[in-house]
Amino acid sequence: MEAVCWFGAIILMAVGLIGTVLPVVPGTTIIFIAALVHRVIVGEARSLGWWSMGVLAILLLLSYALESLAGYFGARRFGATKWGLLGAFVGAIVGLFLGFVGLLIGPVLGAIAGELLGGKRLVAAGRAGWGTLLGNLAGVIAKLFIGLIMIAIFVMNVPSPR
């Protein structure tokens, strides 16, 4: 039973790792839940302790904070105003309904549209869109890195099944 739980947790964590780079899939949440379910089923003696689970919870929250803030700071770094930030937010919401491609280009087009509505010229608006894209990519990379750290904590602290 312990081996099944261990391999099940690893498979779920692999799915979670893939989810860190796919929009809408809560990758780090899946990784955390896999560790938590393993902990509950197997018990503390053969799984992560509560301190390690606390570290995973902090990393989970950090991954979402970084993902959210990266797009904002990327857009601001490239000169986005409140109009561009609002447009990126609206573009992200609209992109949710347009699938994977919509989630990628929605915030960028929204930032550009917001800047144009705010009175900026096309080049400046494009710069804000570019900043939004780079910020979002940095957020995804940060989330992937945090997901890898979470999996490493699990693998290094949980003994493999006998």
Side-chain angles (χ1 to χ4, degrees), residues 8-162:
I10 294 298
I11 289 170
L12 271 177
M13 288 182 179
V15 169
L17 193 61
I18 292 168
T20 61
V21 295
L22 295 177
V24 182
V25 178
T28 51
T29 302
I30 293 171
I31 294 169
F32 179 79
I33 289 172
L36 182 63
V37 168
H38 184 271
R39 164 84 168 81
V40 169
I41 292 174
V42 176
E44 186 174 359
R46 299 289 297 160
S47 188
L48 293 177
W50 286 115
W51 283 106
S52 296
M53 290 303 299
V55 169
L56 291 183
I58 290 169
L59 288 172
L60 169 68
L61 295 174
L62 180 65
S63 75
Y64 284 109
L66 285 176
E67 184 181 33
S68 298
L69 293 175
Y72 170 79
F73 284 118
R76 292 297 290 179
R77 171 72 176 96
F78 280 80
T81 63
K82 65 181 178 185
W83 287 99
L85 296 173
L86 179 63
F89 178 74
V90 171
I93 299 298
V94 171
L96 284 173
F97 301 103
L98 301 175
F100 182 71
V101 175
L103 285 169
L104 292 176
I105 64 170
V108 175
L109 294 178
I112 293 170
E115 291 296 340
L116 291 173
L117 286 173
K120 282 203 173 179
R121 294 185 176 241
L122 185 59
V123 172
R127 213 174 293 126
W130 178 247
T132 301
L133 176 67
L134 291 179
N136 287 340
L137 287 175
V140 167
I141 291 168
K143 197 171 180 182
L144 174 65
F145 185 67
I146 290 172
L148 286 169
I149 292 171
M150 291 172 75
I151 293 171
I153 289 170
F154 180 83
V155 170
M156 290 171 40
N157 291 300
V158 175
S160 60
R162 296 175 192 169

